[in-house]
Amino acid sequence: MMTTPLIHLGRITLLLLPLIAGCAAIAPAAPIAPVPQIVAAQPSTAPLSDVVTTMPPTQPLTAAQATQPTAPLPSTGAFSAVTPRASSTLAAAPVAPTAIAIEKKSVLRAAETAAAAARPQEAPASAATGTKPPPRPVAAVAAVAAVAAVAEPAAPPSLDLNALKEQLKETKAIGVLTKLSLKNQVDDLLQQFRDHYQGKAKITMAQLRRSYDLLLMKVLSLIQDADQRLASAIVASREAIWGLLADKQKFSTLEV
Amino acid sequence: MIDRSTFLAQTLLLAAFLGGPSFAAEDEALKKDMASVIALQGLPCGQVNAVKVNAENDYTCRCKDGNRYRVHINTAGRVIVEKQN
C-alpha cells in the first residue's frame, strides 16, 4: 500500500519532533559582560595601620595583637557604611527559594539537620559578657573612610551574609557535595570564632583572619570561572563579612 | 504497516540518542564535584577519572594520579574523604 510509508514517515517525524524542538530551544550563550579581574589577595592595610599608629592607645595591646599584620579594624568607619546595613538585613532578609534540584535540596537539608543536631548549643551568656571596642577618633575614622572610598570607586554592591548564603546555595558553579564540604568548613570557622570569643581556644584574631582568607580563596577559586558575578560580589563584601565576624557583639547576633 | 517491534526499536534508539548526552554531562559534573571535594580536604588527586556510586551519598573515586578515595556524608552531615589503598 502507498499509505504505509507515509504512516512510517509520520511516526518518525513525531519521534524526532521533541529532538528538533529541543535543539531549537537551546539559546546561544549570553554575552558575558566584562568583569574586572578578581584579585583574591588581601587588601593592603598599610594606610589603616598608619592611621592606627597615630591614634592614642586606649587599651594596652597584647603581644599577639601587636603582631597582627592583616587584622582590620572592626569598628572603624571604613566598614561602617556597609556593616550596619548587612547586620540589619540579617534578621529581616527573607529566605529566597533555591533553584537547586529537589534531590539536591534533600541532601543539603538532611545534612544541615544532622549537623544542627550534632552541634552544641551556643552559650547565650557570651553575648552578655561582650565588651565593645573603644570608639575611634572622628578624624581617624573619616580618614579611613576617605581612603576606602578612593580605593574602591566602582565596587559592586556588597552582600549581607544571608544573601551570600542563598546565592552560594543557588549557584550552579559548584556541585552539591562541594557546597556541603564548604559549609562544613564555614561551620568549623564559625566554631573557632565562638571558641575564641568564649575564651575556650587560644587561637588569635590574626589566625582567624588567615583561616577566613583561605576559606574565601577556596570559595573564589571554585566559583570564579563559572559564576563571575557571585565571585565579584563575594570579593566586594569580603571586608563587610569580616567586620561582622571580628566584632564580638555583631558576631553574637549572627544566626548562621 | 509498520510492525510493533520496529516501532519499539526506533523509540529505544531515539531515547538513547536523546538521553546519552545528559547522562555523560551528569557524569562529568559528578567527577568535577568529587575533584573539588577532594581538593577542599587538601588531598592530592588532580583529576577524577572514574566515580563509582556505592550507595546514596557514598562514592569511590579514582584519580588520575592513581589515588583512590571514598567520599561520603557521615551522620553528622559532614563530607568525609577517606583514602583507599
Side-chain angles (χ1 to χ4, degrees):
Chain A
M1 285 177 66
M2 280 300 290
T3 55
T4 305
L6 285 176
I7 292 171
H8 192 176
L9 190 64
R11 284 184 172 163
I12 290 177
T13 309
L14 275 176
L15 285 170
L16 287 174
L17 200 58
L19 175 64
I20 295 165
C23 290
I26 295 174
I32 300 171
V35 177
Q37 180 91 21
I38 296 162
V39 180
Q42 291 184 13
S44 171
T45 55
L48 298 181
S49 58
D50 289 346
V51 172
V52 170
T53 50
T54 59
M55 292 187 298
T58 52
Q59 64 179 22
L61 289 175
T62 62
Q65 287 170 330
T67 56
Q68 295 178 2
T70 58
L73 302 172
S75 59
T76 55
F79 312 129
S80 61
V82 176
T83 310
R85 178 185 153 273
S87 57
S88 64
T89 50
L90 275 174
V95 177
T98 62
I100 308 173
I102 298 297
E103 67 272 13
K104 293 179 178 179
K105 272 183 180 176
S106 65
V107 170
L108 283 175
R109 201 180 305 123
E112 282 179 2
T113 310
R119 190 186 307 145
Q121 290 295 319
E122 186 180 356
S126 63
T129 57
T131 55
K132 192 175 182 179
R136 304 290 185 190
V138 176
V141 169
V144 173
V147 167
V150 169
E152 295 180 12
S158 299
L159 285 176
D160 64 85
L161 218 52
N162 271 356
L164 176 64
K165 210 164 72 175
E166 286 304 318
Q167 288 193 39
L168 274 171
K169 275 183 183 176
E170 289 175 19
T171 185
K172 302 277 173 58
I174 45 179
V176 179
L177 281 172
T178 309
K179 286 177 188 174
L180 188 55
S181 191
L182 279 175
K183 184 184 175 300
N184 293 157
Q185 297 195 9
V186 169
D187 288 342
D188 290 346
L189 183 62
L190 290 175
Q191 188 59 45
Q192 285 181 340
F193 272 96
R194 276 187 209 105
D195 291 345
H196 171 76
Y197 288 134
Q198 291 171 4
K200 289 180 184 174
K202 289 181 179 177
I203 190 164
T204 64
M205 196 53 90
Q207 288 170 320
L208 287 171
R209 174 73 196 205
R210 205 172 304 126
S211 301
Y212 171 76
D213 284 335
L214 276 174
L215 185 54
L216 228 59
M217 218 177 288
K218 287 178 190 174
V219 175
L220 289 175
S221 66
L222 284 169
I223 65 168
Q224 64 189 359
D225 290 334
D227 198 341
Q228 293 185 348
R229 199 173 57 88
L230 178 57
S232 299
I234 290 174
V235 170
S237 58
R238 174 190 199 126
E239 293 304 326
I241 296 170
W242 175 253
L244 291 177
L245 296 173
D247 189 297
K248 188 175 180 178
Q249 286 188 331
K250 288 174 186 165
F251 180 80
S252 65
T253 61
L254 290 180
E255 292 179 5
V256 285
Chain B
M1 192 73 181
I2 187 168
D3 62 341
R4 194 177 292 263
S5 60
T6 309
F7 181 72
L8 188 64
Q10 287 172 349
T11 309
L12 287 176
L13 190 68
L14 187 63
F17 182 67
L18 292 176
S22 72
F23 283 135
E26 279 182 16
D27 192 41
E28 282 306 309
L30 183 62
K31 285 178 186 174
K32 194 181 167 193
D33 197 11
M34 290 296 148
S36 300
V37 170
I38 294 166
L40 275 175
Q41 306 295 325
L43 295 166
C45 178
Q47 186 180 346
V48 172
N49 279 351
V51 179
K52 181 187 161 201
V53 181
N54 304 322
E56 193 180 3
N57 300 322
D58 191 341
Y59 307 89
T60 301
C61 308
R62 196 180 69 235
C63 296
K64 195 176 182 181
D65 61 4
N67 283 313
R68 286 173 71 245
Y69 297 100
R70 180 181 169 222
V71 179
H72 64 103
I73 301 175
N74 69 3
T75 52
R78 294 191 68 89
V79 178
I80 307 294
V81 180
E82 293 170 351
K83 194 174 188 319
Q84 307 273 294
N85 294 320

